[in-house]
Amino acid sequence: MNSQVFGNQDAFTPPASGWVRFLRSYGPTPHNVNLFDEHITHELNKAKVQPITLISPELEKISLRMMSGTPGSILIAGTAGDGKTYHCRGLWLTLGGSPEVWANNDLLVKEMVLRDGRTAIFVKDLSEIEDAQCNAVLDRLEKSVLGGDDSTVVVMAANHGQMLERLRDLGAAQKRVHPLRKPLQDAFLQFGEPPERLGLFDLSRTTHRSTLEEVVSAVANHPEWKKCSGCALNAEGRVCPIYENRERLLGQNDGGRFVSRLGDLVEVARLNEF
């Protein structure tokens, strides 16, 4: 940065710096905390910017199932970074749950009473809870899905491997093969059908070109970019590389070639089951 242009360069703060720092929280970090919904929510509150909002069709489907009164429970499954906690939190808030209760990390299993009288038990991340508490929740899940218990609906977010491992360990402790493990393994790995009373939403299957296009549009058209219009880094012949990349995402300088190639990469990864 040229101090003759900007004077005291330490005092110069680009007008969209808060927004750019927030976007950085999605990027690679040493501990990959950006994979966790809680981290992004914290960064959002710190930056004081509008959130990036997506259509989230799976959240709509999950909410419709819950509000329809369909008996049984809900499993939001996937791998790291698929948005399991995001969808779980979205359902909690859609049903009128308190944001403060959700943010209470000391309360790893949360409950609310639904309008139809059922008790909804939320587990935002199966890997966070201790074995005893996990086993108790899995017992409630089994009773809801296989035992005909209509008083409770369990809403659980879990990694594929973690879910199968916990069911295996619980079954071994109970000296039996857990009845949910085989059908879930088939559903995860062979696209089999889950038990009738279990609403399985596997987010690992939903990533494709249209998802990327929605994300790119939401990021590149975010209102915070308007602050860049008066930035000295993008005036008098200077080109801000960040703003230039944003222009490429919008396809204004290359006819959309950059985003199209990103979409090709996503499609190749999907077809190779990555």
Side-chain angles (χ1 to χ4, degrees):
M1 189 182 297
N2 190 328
S3 60
Q4 292 180 339
V5 175
F6 300 109
N8 182 354
Q9 77 179 67
D10 292 333
F12 175 74
T13 302
S17 57
W19 165 241
V20 172
R21 279 196 299 269
F22 171 66
L23 282 182
R24 176 66 182 85
S25 67
Y26 283 97
T29 61
H31 303 291
N32 283 334
V33 292
N34 54 323
L35 292 175
F36 300 101
D37 182 67
E38 297 89 340
H39 171 74
I40 297 300
T41 301
H42 171 74
E43 293 297 318
L44 181 68
N45 294 333
K46 188 167 66 175
K48 294 181 172 56
V49 297
Q50 296 181 35
I52 298 170
T53 56
L54 304 174
I55 296 174
S56 300
E58 290 302 300
L59 178 56
E60 294 179 10
K61 294 176 186 177
I62 296 168
S63 300
L64 284 173
R65 178 184 172 93
M66 178 67 89
M67 292 186 285
S68 70
T70 302
S73 289
I74 291 174
L75 175 60
I76 304 171
T79 56
D82 281 336
K84 300 183 296 297
T85 303
Y86 171 83
H87 282 75
C88 199
R89 173 170 61 90
L91 180 61
W92 172 270
L93 297 176
T94 298
L95 296 173
S98 163
E100 291 75 23
V101 172
W102 184 265
N104 183 357
N105 291 325
D106 294 328
L107 193 63
L108 298 178
V109 178
K110 310 175 196 298
E111 295 187 11
M112 72 162 64
V113 178
L114 304 177
R115 292 181 180 179
D116 58 15
R118 292 181 298 168
T119 298
I121 301 174
F122 279 75
V123 179
K124 67 176 183 177
D125 188 344
L126 187 64
S127 65
E128 290 183 345
I129 58 180
E130 300 284 340
D131 288 346
Q133 193 175 31
C134 173
N135 292 345
V137 173
L138 290 177
D139 282 340
R140 299 291 293 272
L141 179 68
E142 181 183 350
K143 291 175 182 176
S144 170
V145 174
L146 301 177
D149 179 7
D150 293 333
S151 66
T152 300
V153 51
V154 176
V155 180
M156 181 181 295
N159 179 282
H160 292 158
Q162 184 75 22
M163 185 69 184
L164 295 177
E165 182 180 350
R166 292 287 186 118
L167 289 172
R168 181 198 63 200
D169 293 346
L170 177 57
Q174 296 173 341
K175 294 182 171 54
R176 62 169 182 158
V177 175
H178 199 286
L180 284 175
R181 188 173 188 275
K182 181 62 165 61
L184 282 180
Q185 179 174 289
D186 290 344
F188 292 158
L189 304 179
Q190 301 177 21
F191 297 92
E193 290 296 324
E196 183 179 354
R197 286 169 58 101
L198 179 64
L200 173 61
F201 297 88
D202 191 345
L203 302 181
S204 68
R205 302 180 187 176
T206 63
T207 302
H208 43 68
R209 182 186 293 269
S210 63
T211 305
L212 173 71
E213 291 172 350
E214 184 188 0
V215 171
V216 166
S217 177
V219 172
N221 290 298
H222 195 280
E224 286 290 319
W225 290 114
K226 294 178 181 178
K227 295 179 180 179
C228 294
S229 61
C231 182
L233 294 175
N234 209 32
E236 299 180 8
R238 290 180 292 274
V239 177
C240 170
I242 296 175
Y243 197 78
E244 172 68 16
N245 283 336
R246 183 251 183 178
E247 296 285 287
R248 292 179 182 179
L249 284 175
L250 290 172
Q252 294 184 357
N253 298 328
D254 65 354
R257 186 185 307 117
F258 179 57
V259 172
S260 176
R261 288 177 175 176
L262 287 178
D264 291 341
L265 289 174
V266 169
E267 285 296 293
V268 168
R270 180 182 66 83
L271 293 170
N272 281 292
E273 298 184 356
F274 285 103

